Amino acid sequence: MSSIRDRMKQLVPPQVTNRVRESLVDYGVRTSHRRPLPDFLIIGTKRGGTTSLWNYLIRHPLVPRLFPAWNTKSSHYFEEHWGRGEAWYRSHFPTVRQREALERRHGGPVRVGEAAPLYMFHPLAAGRVAALMPAVRLIVLLRDPVERAYSHWKERRTNGVEPLDFPAALAAEPQRTAGERERLIAGADHFSERYDWYTYRARGRYLEHLQPWLERFDRERILFLPSEELYRDARATYRRTLDFLGLPPVDPPDFKIYNDRRSAPLEPALRAELTEYYRPHNEALRQRLGLRLDWPDRVA
């Protein structure tokens, strides 16, 4: 049986729904001067648990959702919507008055943020964020890049935009994405679906994409979280994140995994090839960040 809300949706003409949406967006922009910029960003990595961590955080009474309510976790401002301007970006966040009301009600500091895993990978995002929000806190989830690439491909297949099997998709990646990074750098308003969708191998070279962030932000403003630790002990990772953000502890009853995609295991020969490919990149990452990162490539 459908819910009352579902039945009401069927009775509302689409044009009315569109007008309501447009009205809410317009209201957000008109009140943008009363909407502070966010306190934190989850910038990556794709298929590393960003959706799960975001959903855990917004269960905290002092971490409000984005505005309007249909924005699930991100405005995509620093990669896809840069041309819309700062007022549009601010429109996604609560007003000073709303922040103050939450602080009075729950007796602690409000922390506002968004989660956009393409931010870490986009060649211009770090500079844009640093120019607008130099004091923002950054959260980075890092997953074994072999598993990340395979999960990325599975997501694209599920979404109907990847006709190739995984080995063929990896082989086609250089041709599919050729010149896309350069076009992003050259065109401030350019957005590339190919650069987002088909960069299975490239996105796992984490240090390469983190370097612009490390150059612009002090290390104490960045929290690095191994995705495997989030999957293994979500509660401990959640508490660590709250501490980083200066939020009082809360203890949710459960930690559901979001966007989990079960499938056949990766073919051993291909896994071995990718593991060897990422080995020098992972070791450089470990050395630069001082992280353990117990991925299968690690030499004891």
Side-chain angles (χ1 to χ4, degrees), residues 109-267:
V110 165
R111 295 291 184 259
V112 174
E114 63 167 334
L118 185 54
Y119 285 174
M120 186 178 96
F121 187 55
H122 193 285
L124 300 179
R128 291 169 173 175
V129 171
L132 185 61
M133 304 184 300
V136 75
R137 289 185 172 271
L138 306 171
I139 300 170
V140 182
L141 287 150
L142 297 172
R143 182 181 183 182
D144 171 10
V146 177
E147 294 296 340
R148 193 223 67 81
Y150 189 37
S151 181
H152 186 171
W153 171 81
K154 288 187 287 185
E155 180 193 60
R156 296 296 86 201
R157 289 281 280 194
T158 301
N159 291 344
V161 297
E162 179 52 90
L164 303 179
D165 64 23
F166 189 41
L170 288 171
E173 181 175 333
Q175 181 178 359
R176 280 171 153 181
T177 62
E180 291 302 308
R181 183 178 177 85
E182 292 73 20
R183 279 186 278 274
L184 286 169
I185 295 171
D189 295 334
H190 180 65
F191 177 73
S192 171
E193 288 181 337
R194 287 176 172 269
Y195 189 74
D196 184 14
W197 289 357
Y198 302 128
T199 44
Y200 305 116
R201 189 186 294 263
R203 286 176 86 144
R205 299 193 299 265
Y206 296 132
L207 184 57
E208 175 184 323
H209 312 303
L210 283 169
Q211 197 60 45
W213 299 91
L214 294 169
E215 291 170 357
R216 292 170 171 83
F217 293 91
D218 293 337
R219 177 61 189 273
E220 61 266 21
R221 306 205 74 81
I222 310 176
L223 176 64
F224 293 101
L225 298 170
S227 300
E228 292 75 18
E229 291 185 7
L230 175 68
Y231 302 144
R232 184 169 55 247
D233 191 348
R235 194 175 301 276
T237 301
Y238 177 66
R239 288 171 178 167
R240 185 179 171 193
T241 306
L242 296 187
D243 184 63
F244 173 72
L245 295 175
L247 286 164
V250 298
D251 201 18
D254 59 76
F255 289 89
K256 169 188 172 182
I257 296 176
Y258 290 79
N259 292 343
D260 188 28
R261 286 182 168 82
R262 303 291 179 179
S263 68
L266 181 56
E267 194 273 323

Side-chain angles (χ1 to χ4, degrees), residues 68-86:
W70 61 75
N71 290 300
T72 54
K73 66 177 182 177
S74 176
S75 68
H76 298 287
Y77 177 57
F78 294 102
E79 17 92 340
E80 185 173 359
H81 299 302
W82 179 247
R84 293 178 180 264
E86 183 181 337

Side-chain angles (χ1 to χ4, degrees), residues 15-80:
Q15 61 270 26
V16 173
T17 303
N18 289 337
R19 283 201 298 270
V20 170
R21 291 171 67 94
E22 291 169 4
S23 179
L24 285 171
V25 171
D26 180 64
Y27 171 74
V29 173
R30 284 188 289 105
T31 57
S32 62
H33 61 288
R34 301 201 296 266
R35 299 176 182 273
L37 291 165
D39 305 292
F40 72 91
L41 302 175
I42 303 175
I43 63 171
T45 182
K46 184 176 181 66
R47 305 303 303 160
T50 57
T51 299
S52 292
L53 183 59
W54 171 254
N55 278 283
Y56 304 156
L57 285 173
I58 59 175
R59 292 165 70 181
H60 195 289
L62 290 164
V63 181
R65 296 172 179 267
L66 299 186
F67 176 86
W70 61 75
N71 290 300
T72 54
K73 66 177 182 177
S74 176
S75 68
H76 298 287
Y77 177 57
F78 294 102
E79 17 92 340
E80 185 173 359

